[in-house]
Amino acid sequence: MKKDISYEEAVSELEAILRHMEDDEPDIDSLGEQLKKAKELIKLCKDKLTKTDNEIKKILDSK
């Protein structure tokens, strides 16, 4: 997975994976890969949120 993906793109991909799992009978062979990708996307989103939170705190503390 590319690391320069935006937060919004990652969330969209997560939503697509979720919709596929809810709407379709997931193929047992691809289920593991989908879950692995979802895990990576969740980590990426969490990291971006943490980084943004830290940047905001620094800005607010610098006043």
Side-chain angles (χ1 to χ4, degrees):
M1 178 176 33
K2 61 182 182 176
K3 290 291 182 183
D4 60 342
I5 186 172
S6 73
Y7 178 83
E8 289 78 14
E9 290 171 323
V11 170
S12 291
E13 285 190 43
L14 280 168
E15 289 171 343
I17 292 170
L18 181 60
R19 272 193 307 278
H20 181 262
M21 290 179 159
E22 290 177 340
D23 295 342
D24 301 330
E25 181 91 13
D27 177 23
I28 197 72
D29 295 323
S30 66
L31 184 61
E33 284 300 315
Q34 289 180 4
L35 290 174
K36 182 180 174 183
K37 183 171 184 176
K39 181 180 175 182
E40 291 172 0
L41 289 166
I42 290 168
K43 181 181 180 335
L44 186 139
C45 289
K46 184 179 176 182
D47 291 346
K48 285 184 180 278
L49 287 171
T50 300
K51 180 181 175 189
T52 301
D53 184 52
N54 289 337
E55 289 172 358
I56 290 171
K57 286 177 182 176
K58 284 180 186 178
I59 292 168
L60 294 175
D61 289 343
S62 68
K63 289 186 174 186

Short mmCIF file of all heavy atoms in Angstrom, two decimals:
data_model
loop_
_atom_site.label_atom_id
_atom_site.label_comp_id
_atom_site.label_asym_id
_atom_site.label_seq_id
_atom_site.Cartn_x
_atom_site.Cartn_y
_atom_site.Cartn_z
N MET A 1 0.84 -1.18 0.00
CA MET A 1 0.00 0.00 0.00
C MET A 1 0.89 1.24 0.00
O MET A 1 1.87 1.30 0.70
CB MET A 1 -0.90 -0.01 1.25
CG MET A 1 -1.77 1.21 1.34
SD MET A 1 -2.95 1.28 2.71
CE MET A 1 -2.16 0.44 4.01
N LYS A 2 0.47 2.22 -0.78
CA LYS A 2 1.26 3.45 -0.84
C LYS A 2 1.09 4.26 0.45
O LYS A 2 0.03 4.29 1.04
CB LYS A 2 0.88 4.28 -2.06
CG LYS A 2 -0.57 4.72 -2.10
CD LYS A 2 -0.87 5.48 -3.38
CE LYS A 2 -2.32 5.93 -3.35
NZ LYS A 2 -2.67 6.75 -4.48
N LYS A 3 2.16 4.90 0.88
CA LYS A 3 2.16 5.63 2.14
C LYS A 3 1.68 7.07 1.98
O LYS A 3 1.37 7.72 2.95
CB LYS A 3 3.56 5.64 2.76
CG LYS A 3 3.98 4.28 3.27
CD LYS A 3 3.18 3.89 4.46
CE LYS A 3 3.63 2.56 5.02
NZ LYS A 3 2.84 2.11 6.12
N ASP A 4 1.62 7.57 0.74
CA ASP A 4 1.23 8.96 0.54
C ASP A 4 -0.27 9.12 0.33
O ASP A 4 -0.73 10.14 -0.12
CB ASP A 4 2.02 9.57 -0.62
CG ASP A 4 1.78 8.83 -1.93
OD1 ASP A 4 1.31 7.68 -1.89
OD2 ASP A 4 2.07 9.41 -2.99
N ILE A 5 -1.03 8.11 0.67
CA ILE A 5 -2.47 8.16 0.56
C ILE A 5 -3.02 9.15 1.58
O ILE A 5 -2.53 9.24 2.71
CB ILE A 5 -3.07 6.75 0.74
CG1 ILE A 5 -4.57 6.74 0.49
CG2 ILE A 5 -2.77 6.20 2.12
CD1 ILE A 5 -5.18 5.34 0.47
N SER A 6 -4.02 9.91 1.19
CA SER A 6 -4.60 10.88 2.11
C SER A 6 -5.53 10.18 3.10
O SER A 6 -5.97 9.04 2.88
CB SER A 6 -5.38 11.95 1.34
OG SER A 6 -6.61 11.42 0.84
N TYR A 7 -5.83 10.89 4.17
CA TYR A 7 -6.74 10.36 5.18
C TYR A 7 -8.09 10.04 4.55
O TYR A 7 -8.67 8.97 4.79
CB TYR A 7 -6.88 11.38 6.32
CG TYR A 7 -7.84 10.96 7.39
CD1 TYR A 7 -7.44 10.12 8.42
CD2 TYR A 7 -9.17 11.39 7.38
CE1 TYR A 7 -8.32 9.71 9.41
CE2 TYR A 7 -10.06 11.00 8.37
CZ TYR A 7 -9.63 10.16 9.37
OH TYR A 7 -10.51 9.76 10.34
N GLU A 8 -8.58 10.97 3.73
CA GLU A 8 -9.89 10.79 3.09
C GLU A 8 -9.91 9.58 2.17
O GLU A 8 -10.89 8.83 2.13
CB GLU A 8 -10.29 12.05 2.31
CG GLU A 8 -10.64 13.23 3.20
CD GLU A 8 -9.41 13.96 3.77
OE1 GLU A 8 -8.27 13.74 3.29
OE2 GLU A 8 -9.60 14.74 4.71
N GLU A 9 -8.82 9.36 1.43
CA GLU A 9 -8.73 8.19 0.56
C GLU A 9 -8.73 6.90 1.38
O GLU A 9 -9.37 5.92 1.00
CB GLU A 9 -7.47 8.26 -0.30
CG GLU A 9 -7.50 9.34 -1.36
CD GLU A 9 -6.17 9.53 -2.05
OE1 GLU A 9 -5.11 9.42 -1.39
OE2 GLU A 9 -6.19 9.77 -3.27
N ALA A 10 -8.01 6.91 2.49
CA ALA A 10 -7.95 5.72 3.34
C ALA A 10 -9.32 5.40 3.92
O ALA A 10 -9.74 4.25 3.93
CB ALA A 10 -6.93 5.93 4.47
N VAL A 11 -10.03 6.43 4.37
CA VAL A 11 -11.37 6.22 4.92
C VAL A 11 -12.31 5.68 3.84
O VAL A 11 -13.10 4.77 4.09
CB VAL A 11 -11.91 7.51 5.56
CG1 VAL A 11 -13.38 7.37 5.91
CG2 VAL A 11 -11.11 7.87 6.81
N SER A 12 -12.20 6.23 2.63
CA SER A 12 -13.04 5.76 1.53
C SER A 12 -12.77 4.29 1.22
O SER A 12 -13.70 3.52 0.98
CB SER A 12 -12.79 6.60 0.28
OG SER A 12 -13.28 7.90 0.46
N GLU A 13 -11.50 3.91 1.22
CA GLU A 13 -11.15 2.51 0.98
C GLU A 13 -11.70 1.61 2.09
O GLU A 13 -12.20 0.51 1.83
CB GLU A 13 -9.64 2.33 0.85
CG GLU A 13 -9.09 2.82 -0.46
CD GLU A 13 -7.64 2.43 -0.67
OE1 GLU A 13 -7.27 1.27 -0.37
OE2 GLU A 13 -6.88 3.29 -1.14
N LEU A 14 -11.60 2.07 3.33
CA LEU A 14 -12.15 1.30 4.46
C LEU A 14 -13.65 1.13 4.31
O LEU A 14 -14.20 0.05 4.54
CB LEU A 14 -11.83 1.99 5.79
CG LEU A 14 -10.43 1.77 6.34
CD1 LEU A 14 -10.16 2.73 7.49
CD2 LEU A 14 -10.27 0.33 6.80
N GLU A 15 -14.34 2.21 3.92
CA GLU A 15 -15.79 2.13 3.74
C GLU A 15 -16.15 1.16 2.61
O GLU A 15 -17.12 0.42 2.73
CB GLU A 15 -16.35 3.53 3.45
CG GLU A 15 -16.32 4.43 4.67
CD GLU A 15 -16.68 5.89 4.36
OE1 GLU A 15 -16.65 6.28 3.17
OE2 GLU A 15 -16.97 6.61 5.32
N ALA A 16 -15.35 1.15 1.54
CA ALA A 16 -15.60 0.23 0.43
C ALA A 16 -15.42 -1.22 0.88
O ALA A 16 -16.22 -2.09 0.52
CB ALA A 16 -14.68 0.55 -0.74
N ILE A 17 -14.38 -1.48 1.65
CA ILE A 17 -14.16 -2.83 2.18
C ILE A 17 -15.33 -3.24 3.05
O ILE A 17 -15.85 -4.36 2.95
CB ILE A 17 -12.82 -2.92 2.95
CG1 ILE A 17 -11.64 -2.77 1.99
CG2 ILE A 17 -12.72 -4.23 3.73
CD1 ILE A 17 -10.29 -2.60 2.67
N LEU A 18 -15.77 -2.35 3.91
CA LEU A 18 -16.89 -2.65 4.81
C LEU A 18 -18.17 -2.92 4.03
O LEU A 18 -18.89 -3.88 4.30
CB LEU A 18 -17.10 -1.49 5.80
CG LEU A 18 -18.22 -1.66 6.81
CD1 LEU A 18 -17.99 -2.88 7.68
CD2 LEU A 18 -18.34 -0.42 7.66
N ARG A 19 -18.46 -2.07 3.03
CA ARG A 19 -19.66 -2.27 2.20
C ARG A 19 -19.60 -3.63 1.51
O ARG A 19 -20.61 -4.35 1.47
CB ARG A 19 -19.79 -1.17 1.15
CG ARG A 19 -20.53 0.05 1.62
CD ARG A 19 -20.90 0.97 0.47
NE ARG A 19 -19.77 1.34 -0.39
CZ ARG A 19 -18.90 2.30 -0.13
NH1 ARG A 19 -19.00 3.00 0.98
NH2 ARG A 19 -17.91 2.56 -0.97
N HIS A 20 -18.43 -3.97 0.98
CA HIS A 20 -18.28 -5.26 0.30
C HIS A 20 -18.56 -6.40 1.26
O HIS A 20 -19.22 -7.37 0.90
CB HIS A 20 -16.88 -5.38 -0.29
CG HIS A 20 -16.66 -6.66 -1.02
ND1 HIS A 20 -16.03 -7.72 -0.45
CD2 HIS A 20 -17.01 -7.05 -2.27
CE1 HIS A 20 -16.00 -8.72 -1.31
NE2 HIS A 20 -16.58 -8.34 -2.42
N MET A 21 -18.06 -6.29 2.47
CA MET A 21 -18.26 -7.36 3.46
C MET A 21 -19.72 -7.44 3.90
O MET A 21 -20.23 -8.52 4.17
CB MET A 21 -17.36 -7.16 4.66
CG MET A 21 -15.91 -7.40 4.37
SD MET A 21 -14.93 -7.10 5.86
CE MET A 21 -13.47 -8.02 5.47
N GLU A 22 -20.40 -6.30 3.98
CA GLU A 22 -21.80 -6.29 4.43
C GLU A 22 -22.76 -6.70 3.32
O GLU A 22 -23.74 -7.41 3.57
CB GLU A 22 -22.18 -4.90 4.93
CG GLU A 22 -21.52 -4.51 6.23
CD GLU A 22 -21.85 -3.10 6.67
OE1 GLU A 22 -22.27 -2.27 5.84
OE2 GLU A 22 -21.69 -2.84 7.87
N ASP A 23 -22.49 -6.25 2.09
CA ASP A 23 -23.43 -6.47 1.00
C ASP A 23 -23.24 -7.80 0.28
O ASP A 23 -24.20 -8.38 -0.21
CB ASP A 23 -23.31 -5.34 -0.03
CG ASP A 23 -23.72 -3.99 0.54
OD1 ASP A 23 -24.40 -3.96 1.59
OD2 ASP A 23 -23.36 -2.96 -0.06
N ASP A 24 -22.02 -8.25 0.20
CA ASP A 24 -21.72 -9.47 -0.53
C ASP A 24 -21.30 -10.56 0.44
O ASP A 24 -20.85 -10.29 1.54
CB ASP A 24 -20.57 -9.25 -1.53
CG ASP A 24 -20.89 -8.16 -2.54
OD1 ASP A 24 -22.08 -7.98 -2.86
OD2 ASP A 24 -19.95 -7.47 -2.98
N GLU A 25 -21.43 -11.77 -0.02
CA GLU A 25 -20.88 -12.88 0.74
C GLU A 25 -19.37 -12.85 0.48
O GLU A 25 -18.93 -13.08 -0.64
CB GLU A 25 -21.47 -14.20 0.23
CG GLU A 25 -20.99 -15.41 0.95
CD GLU A 25 -21.86 -15.78 2.13
OE1 GLU A 25 -22.97 -15.26 2.25
OE2 GLU A 25 -21.41 -16.60 2.92
N PRO A 26 -18.58 -12.49 1.48
CA PRO A 26 -17.14 -12.38 1.23
C PRO A 26 -16.53 -13.72 0.83
O PRO A 26 -16.86 -14.76 1.39
CB PRO A 26 -16.55 -11.90 2.55
CG PRO A 26 -17.66 -11.86 3.54
CD PRO A 26 -18.92 -12.22 2.86
N ASP A 27 -15.68 -13.66 -0.17
CA ASP A 27 -14.95 -14.84 -0.62
C ASP A 27 -13.92 -15.18 0.46
O ASP A 27 -13.10 -14.34 0.82
CB ASP A 27 -14.27 -14.53 -1.95
CG ASP A 27 -13.41 -15.67 -2.46
OD1 ASP A 27 -13.66 -16.82 -2.05
OD2 ASP A 27 -12.51 -15.40 -3.26
N ILE A 28 -13.98 -16.37 0.96
CA ILE A 28 -13.10 -16.78 2.05
C ILE A 28 -11.63 -16.64 1.67
O ILE A 28 -10.79 -16.34 2.52
CB ILE A 28 -13.43 -18.22 2.53
CG1 ILE A 28 -12.83 -18.50 3.90
CG2 ILE A 28 -12.96 -19.24 1.53
CD1 ILE A 28 -13.48 -17.79 5.02
N ASP A 29 -11.31 -16.78 0.39
CA ASP A 29 -9.92 -16.66 -0.06
C ASP A 29 -9.43 -15.21 -0.03
O ASP A 29 -8.26 -14.96 0.20
CB ASP A 29 -9.75 -17.23 -1.46
CG ASP A 29 -10.00 -18.74 -1.50
OD1 ASP A 29 -9.61 -19.42 -0.53
OD2 ASP A 29 -10.59 -19.21 -2.48
N SER A 30 -10.33 -14.25 -0.25
CA SER A 30 -9.91 -12.85 -0.26
C SER A 30 -10.19 -12.15 1.07
O SER A 30 -9.73 -11.03 1.28
CB SER A 30 -10.61 -12.09 -1.39
OG SER A 30 -12.00 -12.02 -1.15
N LEU A 31 -10.91 -12.81 1.96
CA LEU A 31 -11.26 -12.19 3.24
C LEU A 31 -10.02 -11.82 4.04
O LEU A 31 -9.94 -10.71 4.59
CB LEU A 31 -12.16 -13.13 4.06
CG LEU A 31 -12.68 -12.60 5.37
CD1 LEU A 31 -13.54 -11.36 5.15
CD2 LEU A 31 -13.49 -13.66 6.09
N GLY A 32 -9.04 -12.68 4.09
CA GLY A 32 -7.81 -12.40 4.82
C GLY A 32 -7.09 -11.19 4.27
O GLY A 32 -6.61 -10.34 5.02
N GLU A 33 -7.03 -11.10 2.93
CA GLU A 33 -6.36 -9.96 2.30
C GLU A 33 -7.12 -8.66 2.58
O GLU A 33 -6.52 -7.62 2.82
CB GLU A 33 -6.24 -10.17 0.79
CG GLU A 33 -5.15 -11.14 0.41
CD GLU A 33 -3.77 -10.70 0.89
OE1 GLU A 33 -3.41 -9.52 0.72
OE2 GLU A 33 -3.04 -11.55 1.44
N GLN A 34 -8.45 -8.72 2.55
CA GLN A 34 -9.26 -7.53 2.83
C GLN A 34 -9.06 -7.07 4.27
O GLN A 34 -8.93 -5.88 4.54
CB GLN A 34 -10.73 -7.81 2.57
CG GLN A 34 -11.07 -7.94 1.11
CD GLN A 34 -12.54 -8.23 0.89
OE1 GLN A 34 -13.34 -8.26 1.82
NE2 GLN A 34 -12.91 -8.46 -0.36
N LEU A 35 -9.02 -8.01 5.19
CA LEU A 35 -8.82 -7.66 6.59
C LEU A 35 -7.42 -7.09 6.83
O LEU A 35 -7.24 -6.15 7.60
CB LEU A 35 -9.06 -8.87 7.49
CG LEU A 35 -10.51 -9.32 7.61
CD1 LEU A 35 -10.61 -10.62 8.41
CD2 LEU A 35 -11.37 -8.25 8.23
N LYS A 36 -6.43 -7.66 6.14
CA LYS A 36 -5.06 -7.15 6.25
C LYS A 36 -4.98 -5.72 5.73
O LYS A 36 -4.38 -4.86 6.37
CB LYS A 36 -4.11 -8.05 5.45
CG LYS A 36 -2.66 -7.65 5.53
CD LYS A 36 -1.79 -8.60 4.71
CE LYS A 36 -0.37 -8.11 4.67
NZ LYS A 36 0.47 -8.96 3.83
N LYS A 37 -5.61 -5.45 4.59
CA LYS A 37 -5.60 -4.11 4.03
C LYS A 37 -6.35 -3.14 4.95
O LYS A 37 -5.90 -2.02 5.18
CB LYS A 37 -6.24 -4.10 2.64
CG LYS A 37 -6.18 -2.74 1.99
CD LYS A 37 -6.60 -2.78 0.56
CE LYS A 37 -6.42 -1.38 -0.03
NZ LYS A 37 -6.70 -1.35 -1.45
N ALA A 38 -7.48 -3.58 5.50
CA ALA A 38 -8.24 -2.73 6.42
C ALA A 38 -7.40 -2.39 7.65
O ALA A 38 -7.40 -1.25 8.11
CB ALA A 38 -9.54 -3.43 6.84
N LYS A 39 -6.67 -3.36 8.16
CA LYS A 39 -5.81 -3.13 9.33
C LYS A 39 -4.75 -2.08 9.01
O LYS A 39 -4.49 -1.18 9.82
CB LYS A 39 -5.16 -4.44 9.77
CG LYS A 39 -4.28 -4.31 10.98
CD LYS A 39 -3.66 -5.65 11.35
CE LYS A 39 -2.68 -5.49 12.49
NZ LYS A 39 -2.02 -6.75 12.83
N GLU A 40 -4.13 -2.17 7.83
CA GLU A 40 -3.12 -1.20 7.43
C GLU A 40 -3.73 0.19 7.27
O GLU A 40 -3.13 1.20 7.66
CB GLU A 40 -2.47 -1.64 6.11
CG GLU A 40 -1.61 -2.88 6.25
CD GLU A 40 -1.13 -3.42 4.91
OE1 GLU A 40 -1.46 -2.84 3.86
OE2 GLU A 40 -0.41 -4.44 4.92
N LEU A 41 -4.93 0.26 6.68
CA LEU A 41 -5.60 1.55 6.49
C LEU A 41 -5.97 2.18 7.84
O LEU A 41 -5.84 3.39 8.03
CB LEU A 41 -6.84 1.38 5.62
CG LEU A 41 -6.58 1.07 4.15
CD1 LEU A 41 -7.87 0.59 3.47
CD2 LEU A 41 -6.02 2.29 3.44
N ILE A 42 -6.43 1.36 8.78
CA ILE A 42 -6.77 1.87 10.11
C ILE A 42 -5.53 2.42 10.79
O ILE A 42 -5.57 3.50 11.40
CB ILE A 42 -7.45 0.76 10.95
CG1 ILE A 42 -8.84 0.47 10.39
CG2 ILE A 42 -7.51 1.16 12.42
CD1 ILE A 42 -9.48 -0.79 10.95
N LYS A 43 -4.41 1.71 10.69
CA LYS A 43 -3.16 2.20 11.29
C LYS A 43 -2.74 3.51 10.65
O LYS A 43 -2.35 4.45 11.35
CB LYS A 43 -2.05 1.16 11.15
CG LYS A 43 -0.74 1.62 11.79
CD LYS A 43 0.36 0.61 11.62
CE LYS A 43 1.68 1.01 12.23
NZ LYS A 43 1.99 2.38 12.41
N LEU A 44 -2.83 3.60 9.33
CA LEU A 44 -2.47 4.82 8.63
C LEU A 44 -3.33 5.99 9.11
O LEU A 44 -2.83 7.07 9.40
CB LEU A 44 -2.63 4.62 7.12
CG LEU A 44 -2.16 5.75 6.25
CD1 LEU A 44 -1.43 5.19 5.03
CD2 LEU A 44 -3.30 6.61 5.79
N CYS A 45 -4.64 5.76 9.21
CA CYS A 45 -5.55 6.81 9.67
C CYS A 45 -5.23 7.23 11.11
O CYS A 45 -5.19 8.42 11.42
CB CYS A 45 -7.01 6.35 9.59
SG CYS A 45 -7.64 6.22 7.90
N LYS A 46 -4.99 6.25 11.95
CA LYS A 46 -4.66 6.54 13.35
C LYS A 46 -3.37 7.35 13.44
O LYS A 46 -3.30 8.32 14.20
CB LYS A 46 -4.52 5.23 14.14
CG LYS A 46 -4.27 5.43 15.59
CD LYS A 46 -4.17 4.10 16.32
CE LYS A 46 -3.83 4.32 17.77
NZ LYS A 46 -3.68 3.07 18.51
N ASP A 47 -2.36 6.97 12.66
CA ASP A 47 -1.10 7.71 12.66
C ASP A 47 -1.29 9.15 12.20
O ASP A 47 -0.72 10.08 12.78
CB ASP A 47 -0.06 7.01 11.78
CG ASP A 47 0.41 5.68 12.35
OD1 ASP A 47 0.15 5.41 13.55
OD2 ASP A 47 1.04 4.91 11.59
N LYS A 48 -2.09 9.34 11.15
CA LYS A 48 -2.34 10.69 10.64
C LYS A 48 -3.09 11.54 11.68
O LYS A 48 -2.79 12.71 11.86
CB LYS A 48 -3.11 10.64 9.32
CG LYS A 48 -2.25 10.21 8.15
CD LYS A 48 -3.02 10.25 6.85
CE LYS A 48 -2.17 9.83 5.68
NZ LYS A 48 -1.32 10.89 5.18
N LEU A 49 -4.05 10.93 12.35
CA LEU A 49 -4.80 11.66 13.38
C LEU A 49 -3.91 12.02 14.55
O LEU A 49 -3.99 13.14 15.08
CB LEU A 49 -5.99 10.82 13.86
CG LEU A 49 -7.15 10.71 12.87
CD1 LEU A 49 -8.15 9.68 13.37
CD2 LEU A 49 -7.82 12.04 12.64
N THR A 50 -3.05 11.10 14.96
CA THR A 50 -2.12 11.37 16.06
C THR A 50 -1.16 12.49 15.70
O THR A 50 -0.92 13.40 16.50
CB THR A 50 -1.34 10.10 16.43
OG1 THR A 50 -2.27 9.09 16.82
CG2 THR A 50 -0.36 10.35 17.56
N LYS A 51 -0.63 12.45 14.48
CA LYS A 51 0.29 13.49 14.03
C LYS A 51 -0.40 14.86 14.01
O LYS A 51 0.16 15.85 14.49
CB LYS A 51 0.82 13.15 12.64
CG LYS A 51 1.77 14.18 12.08
CD LYS A 51 2.23 13.81 10.69
CE LYS A 51 3.09 14.92 10.11
NZ LYS A 51 3.38 14.73 8.70
N THR A 52 -1.61 14.90 13.49
CA THR A 52 -2.35 16.16 13.43
C THR A 52 -2.67 16.67 14.83
O THR A 52 -2.54 17.87 15.11
CB THR A 52 -3.65 15.98 12.62
OG1 THR A 52 -3.29 15.54 11.30
CG2 THR A 52 -4.43 17.27 12.54
N ASP A 53 -3.04 15.76 15.72
CA ASP A 53 -3.33 16.14 17.09
C ASP A 53 -2.10 16.75 17.77
O ASP A 53 -2.19 17.78 18.44
CB ASP A 53 -3.82 14.92 17.88
CG ASP A 53 -4.24 15.26 19.30
OD1 ASP A 53 -5.05 16.19 19.48
OD2 ASP A 53 -3.73 14.60 20.23
N ASN A 54 -0.94 16.14 17.55
CA ASN A 54 0.31 16.66 18.13
C ASN A 54 0.64 18.04 17.56
O ASN A 54 1.10 18.92 18.30
CB ASN A 54 1.46 15.69 17.89
CG ASN A 54 1.33 14.43 18.72
OD1 ASN A 54 0.68 14.43 19.76
ND2 ASN A 54 1.94 13.37 18.27
N GLU A 55 0.44 18.21 16.26
CA GLU A 55 0.71 19.51 15.63
C GLU A 55 -0.21 20.59 16.20
O GLU A 55 0.23 21.72 16.47
CB GLU A 55 0.54 19.42 14.12
CG GLU A 55 1.63 18.62 13.44
CD GLU A 55 1.37 18.37 11.97
OE1 GLU A 55 0.32 18.79 11.44
OE2 GLU A 55 2.24 17.75 11.33
N ILE A 56 -1.47 20.26 16.39
CA ILE A 56 -2.43 21.22 16.96
C ILE A 56 -2.03 21.59 18.38
O ILE A 56 -2.06 22.76 18.77
CB ILE A 56 -3.86 20.65 16.90
CG1 ILE A 56 -4.33 20.59 15.45
CG2 ILE A 56 -4.82 21.49 17.76
CD1 ILE A 56 -5.63 19.85 15.24
N LYS A 57 -1.65 20.60 19.17
CA LYS A 57 -1.22 20.87 20.55
C LYS A 57 0.00 21.79 20.58
O LYS A 57 0.07 22.69 21.42
CB LYS A 57 -0.91 19.57 21.28
CG LYS A 57 -2.16 18.79 21.66
CD LYS A 57 -1.81 17.47 22.32
CE LYS A 57 -3.08 16.71 22.65
NZ LYS A 57 -2.81 15.38 23.21
N LYS A 58 0.96 21.57 19.66
CA LYS A 58 2.14 22.42 19.61
C LYS A 58 1.75 23.86 19.27
O LYS A 58 2.28 24.81 19.84
CB LYS A 58 3.14 21.90 18.58
CG LYS A 58 3.91 20.69 19.04
CD LYS A 58 4.88 20.25 17.95
CE LYS A 58 5.55 18.95 18.34
NZ LYS A 58 6.46 18.47 17.28
N ILE A 59 0.86 24.01 18.32
CA ILE A 59 0.41 25.35 17.92
C ILE A 59 -0.27 26.06 19.08
O ILE A 59 0.00 27.21 19.38
CB ILE A 59 -0.51 25.28 16.71
CG1 ILE A 59 0.27 24.84 15.47
CG2 ILE A 59 -1.21 26.62 16.46
CD1 ILE A 59 -0.60 24.47 14.28
N LEU A 60 -1.14 25.34 19.77
CA LEU A 60 -1.89 25.93 20.88
C LEU A 60 -0.99 26.23 22.08
O LEU A 60 -1.20 27.22 22.78
CB LEU A 60 -3.05 25.03 21.30
CG LEU A 60 -4.16 24.88 20.27
CD1 LEU A 60 -5.19 23.87 20.76
CD2 LEU A 60 -4.81 26.21 19.93
N ASP A 61 0.02 25.40 22.29
CA ASP A 61 0.94 25.60 23.41
C ASP A 61 1.94 26.73 23.16
O ASP A 61 2.53 27.26 24.10
CB ASP A 61 1.70 24.31 23.72
CG ASP A 61 0.81 23.26 24.36
OD1 ASP A 61 -0.28 23.60 24.86
OD2 ASP A 61 1.20 22.08 24.35
N SER A 62 2.14 27.08 21.90
CA SER A 62 3.15 28.09 21.57
C SER A 62 2.65 29.52 21.80
O SER A 62 3.40 30.46 21.63
CB SER A 62 3.61 27.93 20.13
OG SER A 62 2.57 28.26 19.24
N LYS A 63 1.43 29.70 22.19
CA LYS A 63 0.89 31.05 22.39
C LYS A 63 1.32 31.64 23.71
O LYS A 63 1.61 31.08 24.65
CB LYS A 63 -0.64 31.03 22.33
CG LYS A 63 -1.11 30.79 20.93
CD LYS A 63 -2.59 30.92 20.87
CE LYS A 63 -3.06 30.83 19.43
NZ LYS A 63 -4.43 31.06 19.27
#
